[in-house]
Amino acid sequence: MSLFNVYPLYDVTPVSAKDIYVYDDKGIEYLDLYGGHAVISIGHSHPKYVSAITNQIEKLGFYSNAIKNPLQTQLADKLEDLSGCKAYQLFLCNSGAEANENALKLASFHNGKHKILAFKNSFHGRTSAAVAATDNPKVVAPLNAQQEVDFVELGDLESVKSILKANKTCAVIIECIQGVGGLDQSTTEFYQGLEKLCKQYDTVLIADEVQSGFGRTGDFFAFQKHNITPDIISIAKGMGNGFPVGGILIHPSIKASFGLLGTTFGGNHLACAATLSVLDVIEEENLMQNATAISEYFVEKAKELPNLKTIKGRGLMLGLEFNFPISELRKALIFKHHIFTGGAKNPNLIRILPPLTIRKKHIDSLFDALQKELN
């Protein structure tokens, strides 16, 4: 049986990894500055992470959500402490797309409305309503397109207001730093204005923190810089360091009832053990502080590059935008310099999403390689 051919693949076959490095089947060492789409938060094969999963699988790997799982309660408490998001409720699932699906569904249950407002260049997943709220017609099938979604320019409060006052929009979903779209962000004034409009028109504000959460921006969540309180926060990617896990944090103003949401695998014992270990390492190794410090170093180094148009993003969710398409440059970084980076919807942008354990020497390696290629 052949594989369904939907991924354009680089000719690299990883077989092992440790912290910031990945090793292929030929023994070549690669510097991982992409973390598999921002998934690797505490470094590959972190000993605490490996130990947590190993110890849990030896006891109990899975049982359904029909029984008590104290690990879920531990995770909820730890997440509240470290994120500072007090009194929220946690629902666990398996991925970022599923997190956003549950967030949108819950919003519609909550206020009885049916439309979604999203932003241009957004990316919220590849399933059902999440993909309909993604600004990329190429990945939206006719089935998905039945969802009613309004797309607005990031920063345009007047358009948001004109749509919300029609009283049909159940949710506004936003990435405070856009990921796949190209690391664009707006102002604190905009995000606070958005929150006020959502409250005024009984619309659920969903902060999509799937890529930006779990310390990647230097804050636990990207929205926290702007001093807003979303109604729902979606999480995934870095929370499991590679183990499939996602979830939503739900404001106490939204009430639960039996059967409202559900999942078979979400919140299983292994997923909880993995995520608890990630939270422990983020705290013990001061990885949010490291994200901020390394980001400042990165920005200073980037200023020395030729042909650089702008530096985008925040923390360790960064982009280098050039005045030319970067596909060949990324290939050179992989095959000549053995450095993984990411692309974006913006063809001129390299995305940098490394493990939060990264050090200055790794940043130096990237900019040494870029200088060689650009000069």
Side-chain angles (χ1 to χ4, degrees):
M1 183 185 295
S2 62
L3 298 176
F4 197 51
N5 191 18
V6 293
Y7 300 116
L9 300 176
Y10 290 108
D11 188 16
V12 179
T13 306
V15 294
S16 65
K18 188 70 175 176
D19 195 20
I20 307 291
Y21 296 99
V22 172
Y23 303 89
D24 74 4
D25 55 353
K26 301 178 178 66
I28 298 172
E29 179 183 83
Y30 295 83
L31 177 61
D32 185 7
L33 299 185
Y34 191 55
H37 309 304
V39 166
I40 304 302
S41 51
I42 61 169
H44 294 278
S45 305
H46 192 288
K48 187 153 193 169
Y49 174 80
V50 172
S51 176
I53 293 177
T54 302
N55 291 339
Q56 186 58 49
I57 193 72
E58 288 176 346
K59 293 184 290 187
L60 176 64
F62 172 82
Y63 205 78
S64 80
N65 284 304
I67 47 79
K68 290 183 177 180
N69 180 353
L71 289 173
Q72 292 186 358
T73 304
Q74 290 179 40
L75 174 52
D77 290 344
K78 183 72 176 179
L79 185 53
E80 180 178 60
D81 289 343
L82 199 54
S83 71
C85 293
K86 303 298 183 184
Y88 279 78
Q89 308 153 92
L90 176 64
F91 176 79
L92 290 163
C93 55
N94 307 285
S95 69
E98 190 180 344
N100 284 330
E101 292 291 348
N102 280 293
L104 292 164
K105 180 181 179 182
L106 190 57
S108 186
F109 270 133
H110 177 67
N111 56 28
K113 304 177 190 181
H114 69 281
K115 292 183 72 176
I116 302 165
L117 190 150
F119 293 88
K120 293 183 180 178
N121 284 324
S122 61
F123 186 93
H124 299 292
R126 293 179 179 271
T127 58
S128 193
V131 78
T134 291
D135 185 22
N136 183 353
K138 292 180 181 178
V139 299
V140 179
L143 176 68
N144 312 124
Q146 296 178 97
Q147 304 281 350
E148 293 186 51
V149 183
D150 292 304
F151 287 99
V152 171
E153 291 286 349
L154 190 64
D156 184 355
L157 282 178
E158 285 303 312
S159 292
V160 171
K161 183 176 181 178
S162 67
I163 291 166
L164 295 192
K165 69 182 182 182
N167 201 34
K168 295 180 180 179
T169 303
C170 71
V172 171
I173 185 167
I174 188 166
E175 307 157 273
C176 283
I177 303 176
Q178 294 185 328
V180 173
L183 299 169
D184 288 321
Q185 51 189 321
S186 192
T187 63
T188 293
E189 180 184 17
F190 168 73
Y191 296 115
Q192 291 183 353
L194 187 65
E195 180 184 29
K196 288 176 184 175
L197 287 172
C198 286
K199 283 182 166 53
Q200 181 179 349
Y201 293 106
D202 186 27
T203 304
V204 172
L205 178 59
I206 301 169
D208 180 342
E209 295 278 351
V210 167
Q211 188 172 123
S212 55
F214 275 65
R216 179 155 293 280
T217 65
D219 297 307
F220 196 89
F221 291 125
F223 73 80
Q224 290 171 321
K225 176 186 178 185
H226 307 292
N227 195 29
I228 62 173
T229 304
D231 299 298
I232 303 176
I233 305 159
S234 56
I235 52 178
K237 292 197 186 296
M239 72 185 291
N241 201 52
F243 196 96
V245 56
I248 51 176
L249 277 62
I250 306 155
H251 193 269
S253 61
I254 299 175
K255 304 304 179 185
S257 62
F258 291 151
L260 192 68
L261 303 177
T263 173
T264 297
F265 297 107
N268 66 71
H269 296 75
L270 282 175
C272 288
T275 306
L276 279 164
S277 73
V278 167
L279 290 171
D280 284 343
V281 172
I282 288 174
E283 183 176 35
E284 292 165 6
E285 298 187 9
N286 299 312
L287 294 187
M288 286 190 283
Q289 294 89 328
N290 188 60
T292 299
I294 297 297
S295 181
E296 291 171 356
Y297 185 72
F298 179 99
V299 169
E300 288 306 310
K301 294 284 288 187
K303 291 175 181 176
E304 303 168 6
L305 288 178
N307 301 311
L308 184 65
K309 181 179 176 182
T310 188
I311 305 162
K312 303 179 83 171
R314 176 157 50 94
L316 292 176
M317 188 173 177
L318 294 163
L320 297 170
E321 185 177 18
F322 294 92
N323 52 19
F324 59 87
I326 51 79
S327 58
E328 292 304 312
L329 178 57
R330 280 189 65 214
K331 288 178 185 177
L333 288 174
I334 293 173
F335 296 113
K336 288 174 62 177
H337 303 280
H338 305 137
I339 299 174
F340 291 161
T341 61
K345 186 177 180 182
N346 179 346
N348 294 357
L349 186 85
I350 291 179
R351 278 197 297 162
I352 307 297
L353 304 164
L356 307 187
T357 53
I358 191 170
R359 299 294 180 230
K360 290 180 179 179
K361 65 179 182 180
H362 304 121
I363 300 300
D364 290 341
S365 295
L366 169 66
F367 285 106
D368 288 347
L370 286 170
Q371 289 284 5
K372 288 174 183 174
E373 292 304 317
L374 295 170
N375 287 313

